[in-house]
Amino acid sequence: MNRIITISRQFGSGGRTIGKEVAKKLGIPCYDSELILKIAEKSGLSKEYIENYGEHAPSASWLSNIVGRDYNGRSVRDDLWLVQHEIITELAQKESCVIVGRCADHILKNTANCLTVFVHASPEKRAKRIVEIYGESDEKPEKRLIDKDKRRKSYYQFYTDSTWGDATKYDISLDSGKFGIDKCVSIIAQLY
Amino acid sequence: MNRIITISRQFGSGGRTIGKEVAKKLGIPCYDSELILKIAEKSGLSKEYIENYGEHAPSASWLSNIVGRDYNGRSVRDDLWLVQHEIITELAQKESCVIVGRCADHILKNTANCLTVFVHASPEKRAKRIVEIYGESDEKPEKRLIDKDKRRKSYYQFYTDSTWGDATKYDISLDSGKFGIDKCVSIIAQLY
């Protein structure tokens, strides 16, 4: 049976980098932006649309919930969720791999041999990291963190009915700000 | 500076055993029931009282909140919290050690060089473990788990104003049911 590592992460915690490094160390693929492209190809939705809405929960506004629904009452975002669900399930059947984000831990919880990881860090460390990686922007890094995490949290909650960041939902949770990227990579690879 | 490991744990997850094994491996003391005795000696409260109320939040009943308060408006449990707070702070100043439970992670968060750990496991694994360790009782193991965790959670919340089991509050969280006690011990000792 294939063995999968799923990585959920706070924005700026380095979870994506950790995923890539773990995959490299284990000699297995890591799906992240690649996954986004696969989703785009399959669903016919534009890459920009997916990057903007891939991990955002449906809006609570009644208007946006009426506009853009098909005859089954599904929104474009619901369709995206279904396509994503299918792709992640297929990836896990095809090969051992690392999957970053996209609720993969939840999608695979009953079907695959999974190691589920949550990566977090203090707001100070993450603010520092996002400026280093993504550069400065008009918005303060602290505000960017809060916005992005709020969206990820609400997306996760909406589609999985579980709490994002609840320790009991993951096999292991790590503070990458405390341990550093390399140590996190080595622990995850060790547990694989 | 002394280095402290604090272990918070779900009931039946084996967190106490993990704490003792880690301490043994590192050659440092582990405070748990020893700590309870120290608290008892210092506060003059009976060992039974502390075992029953040591990790239970104050009752929400107005009656129990009026009865048993001193002239400062503190309840016996608040006094117990203060004594506990003082003992844990002193222990951390005195020597490197492992401290299991008692909100030690929160008490030491700004004063000590701490590795904070949360140990959890699925309800099925924990139910099995508590029957193995504590034996059968009239109450179903699933009910014992829920009761005990509810109390720990509410105690933690009341005195620390944080969420018990929120991954971001701990340096590392581990599913002992998935990895087993020995693997958890080895990872924690490695990170020390």
Side-chain angles (χ1 to χ4, degrees), chain B residues 65-79:
Chain B
N65 276 322
I66 290 168
V67 174
R69 290 192 174 273
D70 66 14
Y71 62 90
N72 290 313
R74 287 204 308 262
S75 70
V76 185
R77 285 179 215 178
D78 291 342
D79 286 336

Side-chain angles (χ1 to χ4, degrees), chain B:
Chain B
M1 198 184 199
N2 297 324
R3 287 186 301 158
I4 316 296
I5 297 175
T6 66
I7 298 189
S8 308
R9 74 290 178 223
Q10 284 188 318
F11 182 53
S13 67
R16 198 181 45 172
T17 307
I18 291 172
K20 290 194 172 159
E21 291 297 316
V22 167
K24 210 166 114 187
K25 198 161 184 157
L26 297 172
I28 57 177
C30 176
Y31 292 99
D32 175 28
S33 49
E34 291 94 324
L35 180 60
I36 295 173
L37 287 172
K38 280 188 184 239
I39 294 168
E41 283 167 32
K42 192 151 184 173
S43 66
L45 296 166
S46 83
K47 187 165 178 276
E48 286 71 25
Y49 180 88
I50 290 163
E51 278 172 350
N52 282 328
Y53 296 104
E55 276 181 328
H56 295 180
S59 162
S61 134
W62 63 271
L63 187 63
S64 68
N65 276 322
I66 290 168
V67 174
R69 290 192 174 273
D70 66 14
Y71 62 90
N72 290 313
R74 287 204 308 262
S75 70
V76 185
R77 285 179 215 178
D78 291 342
D79 286 336
L80 176 55
W81 166 258
L82 293 173
V83 172
Q84 225 169 239
H85 198 291
E86 200 183 319
I87 292 176
I88 288 173
T89 310
E90 278 173 16
L91 283 173
Q93 279 164 359
K94 196 178 66 144
E95 60 191 343
S96 293
C97 60
V98 176
I99 305 176
V100 180
R102 318 273 141 188
C103 304
D105 59 316
H106 177 83
I107 293 170
L108 299 175
K109 81 174 168 192
N110 295 318
T111 55
N113 186 2
C114 252
L115 174 67
T116 58
V117 181
F118 182 71
V119 182
H120 57 91
S122 69
E124 297 72 32
K125 298 257 176 160
R126 294 190 288 129
K128 196 166 163 272
R129 187 177 166 90
I130 65 170
V131 171
E132 277 166 21
I133 305 242
Y134 305 107
E136 300 278 356
S137 86
D138 291 343
E139 233 174 25
K140 280 197 171 171
E142 291 76 13
K143 172 125 189 0
R144 285 155 75 193
L145 288 180
I146 292 169
D147 283 356
K148 198 98 174 181
D149 282 344
K150 207 185 267 174
R151 287 169 190 280
R152 284 186 185 169
K153 190 169 192 160
S154 108
Y155 177 81
Y156 192 87
Q157 220 119 338
F158 185 87
Y159 284 112
T160 72
D161 233 352
S162 312
T163 309
W164 188 71
D166 173 351
T168 65
K169 301 284 175 239
Y170 308 93
D171 299 328
I172 181 167
S173 303
L174 290 163
D175 184 335
S176 60
K178 173 115 178 190
F179 301 125
I181 302 285
D182 291 350
K183 193 81 197 163
C184 291
V185 170
S186 115
I187 289 170
I188 297 166
Q190 214 179 107
L191 288 172
Y192 179 66

